[in-house]
Amino acid sequence: MLKIDIKRAMLTSEGKTNLEVTAEIQDNELLCLFGHSGAGKTTLLRILAGLTKPDKGRIVFNDTVWFDSEKKINISPQQRNVGYMFQDYALFPNMTVEKNISFAQKEKDKDEVNKLMELFDLDALKNQHPAKLSGGQKQRVALARALASKPNVLLLDEPLSALDFDMRLALQHEIRKAHELLNTVTCLVSHDLQEVFHLASSVILIKNGTVINQGKPADVFSGKQDFYPKQAY
Amino acid sequence: MLKIDIKRAMLTSEGKTNLEVTAEIQDNELLCLFGHSGAGKTTLLRILAGLTKPDKGRIVFNDTVWFDSEKKINISPQQRNVGYMFQDYALFPNMTVEKNISFAQKEKDKDEVNKLMELFDLDALKNQHPAKLSGGQKQRVALARALASKPNVLLLDEPLSALDFDMRLALQHEIRKAHELLNTVTCLVSHDLQEVFHLASSVILIKNGTVINQGKPADVFSGKQDFYPKQAY
Amino acid sequence: QKVNVAAAANLRYVLEEIKTAYLKQNPKAKVNLTFGASGTLVQQIQNGASFDFFMAADNEFPLKLKEKGLTTEPMSTYAFGKLAIYSTTLDVSKQGLDVLKSSAIKKIAIANPETAPYGERAVQLLKSQKLYESLKSKIVLGENISQTAQFAFTGNAEIGFVALSLALAPDMAGKGDYYIVPQSMYQPIEQACILIKTQVLNTEAAKFKKFVLSPNSKAIWEKWGYGLASGK
Amino acid sequence: MDQDFINTLLLTGKLAGWTTIILFIIGFPVAYLLAYKRFPLKPVFEALISMPLVLPPTVLGFYMLVAYSPQNAFGRFLEQHFNTRLAFSFQGVLIASVLFSLPFMIQPLQNGLTSIPKSFRETAYTLGKSEFTTFIRVLIPNMIPSIITAAAMTFAHCIGEFGVVIMVGGNMPGETRVASIAIYDEVQAMNYQAANQYSFILFIISLLILTLIYSINGKKKIFF
Amino acid sequence: MDQDFINTLLLTGKLAGWTTIILFIIGFPVAYLLAYKRFPLKPVFEALISMPLVLPPTVLGFYMLVAYSPQNAFGRFLEQHFNTRLAFSFQGVLIASVLFSLPFMIQPLQNGLTSIPKSFRETAYTLGKSEFTTFIRVLIPNMIPSIITAAAMTFAHCIGEFGVVIMVGGNMPGETRVASIAIYDEVQAMNYQAANQYSFILFIISLLILTLIYSINGKKKIFF
Ligand SMILES: Nc1ncnc2c1ncn2[C@@H]1O[C@H](COP(=O)(O)OP(=O)(O)OP(=O)(O)O)[C@@H](O)[C@H]1O
Ligand SMILES: Nc1ncnc2c1ncn2[C@@H]1O[C@H](COP(=O)(O)OP(=O)(O)OP(=O)(O)O)[C@@H](O)[C@H]1O
Ligand code: MOO
Ligand SMILES: [Mg+2]
Ligand SMILES: [Mg+2]
């Protein structure tokens, strides 16, 4: 279980605000972060990963305190064992597709890497360097890499936004499978309602740094037509 | 009118192929490029912008020959007056949001810049540098910049993929308006069927480098359920 | 045991020849010659450079070392140097010191008077001839006497105040003209040498010193234009 | 502090300043060519530019001295047509210093240019900006640390220049007697106190300038 | 080519090689600290490291000479406990050379490190990689051009070193008589042929090494 209760100053397009999030994510839960551009979704993931320090609050994963502003605890990203997929991928330019993925593994397992590359339709590109990949190909490598590290907590920042519909569906399936297989807590940012309904067991709606609703997807979106989306599909 | 007839070697996830596109885009037409990840959409836009050189063929815009492999003509990106929005934005890190946009203008026009920033909900961020923007904010700056140059040909590579649904709708509207106002030829890459139907006057379906269908959106997608999308919304 | 000799720059050619002669007699000996301005060498020895034997261009620099207690055995004068002016473009052998008044002269090379006795004598000479003030702006300083000779040799300076022994070097003599400044016009350049105190007594150094002072090398000194102390 | 001492410092600054200015003008276009253009024999060309890095200053000094000599074509030409002699003159040392510091300017600039992502240039080109405008408005502002490194290394390297100056300079006060030479001289003459004074002042000045540069530079991050 | 000549070249290579190796070991951690860590007085620390860039080699040489002297604490300590005297010895020159070349190693490495996007490090950390692993596997491979520049500049700068060597090392054959000194000496002896021979050989060796480096470097792009 991941318990979050944090606060952090943030500059948004509405001016200065605070990102304030309180949430409890159960083991095995797949949480979707949903919200406007600049609402603070990426910032929250970075805070969970240990890359950005909240101004105040606590983060506890199972029995481990990851962050506590009062006790001045802030354990490093390495110790958190998260799999973080960046919104801009951050693939290592010096490594091929295959190396990027195998680098993430804690124990080398070539079969696993091959399986991932097959699942993500990257086999033919295994010896390519990132500079020579298309946008969607980069995104798939980044996702495969985040999964390869077998994390306790999986943080995915718009993992499928650059993919076509087919691929998107297929990979939604893979994310769900990985989530179940690894028995992780997963937090995923998405702008795609279909995706949210397909994947999420719960949703957090963020607006301007503040959580305005959280719960099961159906509950959250039913009462909130005024917030999001203005127009359904 | 933009006449395209080009060929270029490409490595895709299916192995080596050629990107082969023949198309005529009328003035005032808004063309959508639609296709799998790695199909060659970005490559086609780069070729139109003059950033990648085709192996063979011709590109003619109105009466100007942009590229002709036989006559060895290849005019520079500067002379083509295109507005190209990169899939990874390529914002200038040294310039603020406002400067990024005004830099694109051929004639300085502060009002125009302010209007663009307002439209794209960037006013509060006008003095921010790109490193401090969220993914969606970056995308909006990149789009605003491409429009600010008042191009003859507008090339947009997944311009709205990182945006939430509201914003997406609003900006679809803006793209359409800009397209009509500037009287441009617009080529847009999108993975979103709704978007294609909403915006495009014609569609090109690319698979593995080859155009497999082109025409009005309704015509293209009606007969092609086997290709795309497997599952409708 | 090898002998590290610190030798004033004016000895460049002479000492090479003496070394050859010495090695002919002592085929197993090893002699390393390092040339520099006398003052530079004194500075290096004071700071711990491992030289065994110092041959200066005057008798004051060895004295400095002696006062610091860095030497063994008394200092010995081995030769008297002669000052010459050298030029590749002007007819110095005919005009003598009058050449210094020539308007064709843009630069005059002199060794740094602080560290090179030959330079010091040259400045002394110019001062006593009341030429120093008028020529001052034309003077370029060589780090030691052989760099000075080289400035004149390359023609970058029309005139160089050099050691006669350097002017006699085949390259120099072949390319230009020299004039020996009358020895009465400057304080004699009495060149002395001294053994440096080393941790292990270097007997080879003493042997080499003896050879330098011996009649065996007399002809070589004279050939290179040095005067010899009467007693030796 | 006496007048000589101040003059020597001023001369040193003048030499370093001029060298840096001249190399700025030469350096940018050359670095640009090396970073972005392909042409035959480019590695050889690059190697030639880097030569002064590897060549002892005395080698360069030696060749300059030979070239400047009125006995040789170049020196004679200057003497006859311009009535100048470069040996033992400020100009002569300046030319040698420019040649000698060339790679200290070019290398950091070239490195800075190559590490700017290609898409920045490409974007500017599609926006109709010329290579020159792109260079001024997009490339230069994104390589400030490299420019500072280039300028600092060049200026610094000139202040430290010794080998070339001792070979072609002739130790003329006000012309070629720069600080490094002056210190050498004082040490050789065992005027340790004077040497100390020079060294100490140079040390303090350098430390102040550099601390200032790094304080400013530290505030700006590479990508602002 | 005679034995002296070969010995001189070998000695030069030995000095430059050892300096580069020692500075590699020192350089990476220091550059890492300077690039990524914040600590008080960092600009002063950076300035101190860059000092040898600005200080004339003769200043450094002078201070080394003073430090090495058995009349002072450090020199006396060495003399009493190790029975070594550093002035005018190879070790003494090596120490001076390491100090003197420090910024030529640090600056390019630090520049290379700062220009690697932060997200690469962040990604590696979230993947559980230690700072050390990240450094070896992610940072180093993405800054190859900077590493080559650092090594080339350092090695090259040592080969060209003259001022420090002549002050700290003098001109002792086999100990401190490196190529730059030898050339200086030969020029003074007006053995222009020998000077030319040294210069030419150094020129050719340098040109070859550098052309090789640039050919390899040219093939690899910064981001492969
Ligand atoms: N710089 C490059 N050099 C070589 N090959 C490249 C380069 N960029 C892309 N490719 C290859 O060319 C093919 C087409 O790439 P392109 O970027 O045009 O795809 P795309 O249709 O835009 O895909 P996406 O929707 O994923 O962005 C891909 O298979 C990719 O591997
Ligand atoms: N490095 C940064 N420094 C300062 N402010 C930042 C930084 N990155 C983002 N911000 C600001 O913080 C706010 C939240 O950003 P965040 O990246 O979390 O948004 P987001 O919800 O992920 O948006 P998007 O959907 O557009 O990616 C934004 O308004 C942005 O301007
Ligand atoms: O031989 Mo000297 O000591 O250069 O005048
Ligand atoms: Mg985000
Ligand atoms: Mg693409």
Side-chain angles (χ1 to χ4, degrees), chain B residues 102-116:
Chain B
S102 70
F103 181 68
Q105 294 184 315
K106 261 128 217 161
E107 289 144 28
K108 295 298 143 216
D109 179 348
K110 234 178 131 62
D111 289 347
E112 179 72 24
V113 174
N114 287 331
K115 222 180 80 194
L116 278 168

Side-chain angles (χ1 to χ4, degrees), chain A residues 125 128 131-137 140 162, chain B residues 10-13 35-44 87 157-158 191:
Chain A
L125 304 167
Q128 284 294 39
K132 299 204 162 175
L133 297 180
S134 82
Q137 289 163 350
R140 284 178 275 153
Chain B
M10 207 172 70
L11 177 75
T12 70
S13 46
H36 285 128
S37 169
K41 304 180 293 296
T42 300
T43 308
L44 180 58
Q87 197 168 1
D157 205 346
E158 305 192 22
H191 290 304

Side-chain angles (χ1 to χ4, degrees), chain A residues 11-13 35-38 87 121 124-125 128 134-137 140 158 161-166 169 191 227-231 233, chain B residues 11-13 35-38 87 121 124-125 128 134-137 140 158 161-166 169 191 227-231 233:
Chain A
L11 176 76
T12 70
S13 46
H36 285 130
S37 169
Q87 197 169 359
D121 193 18
L125 304 167
Q128 284 294 39
S134 82
Q137 289 163 350
R140 284 178 275 153
E158 306 193 22
S161 63
L163 299 176
D164 54 275
F165 195 73
D166 277 7
L169 276 193
H191 290 304
F227 165 71
Y228 205 89
K230 267 190 194 139
Q231 180 177 339
Y233 281 76
Chain B
L11 177 75
T12 70
S13 46
H36 285 128
S37 169
Q87 197 168 1
D121 195 18
L125 304 166
Q128 286 292 39
S134 80
Q137 289 163 350
R140 284 178 275 152
E158 305 192 22
S161 63
L163 299 176
D164 55 276
F165 194 72
D166 276 7
L169 276 193
H191 290 304
F227 165 72
Y228 206 89
K230 267 188 195 141
Q231 181 177 337
Y233 281 78

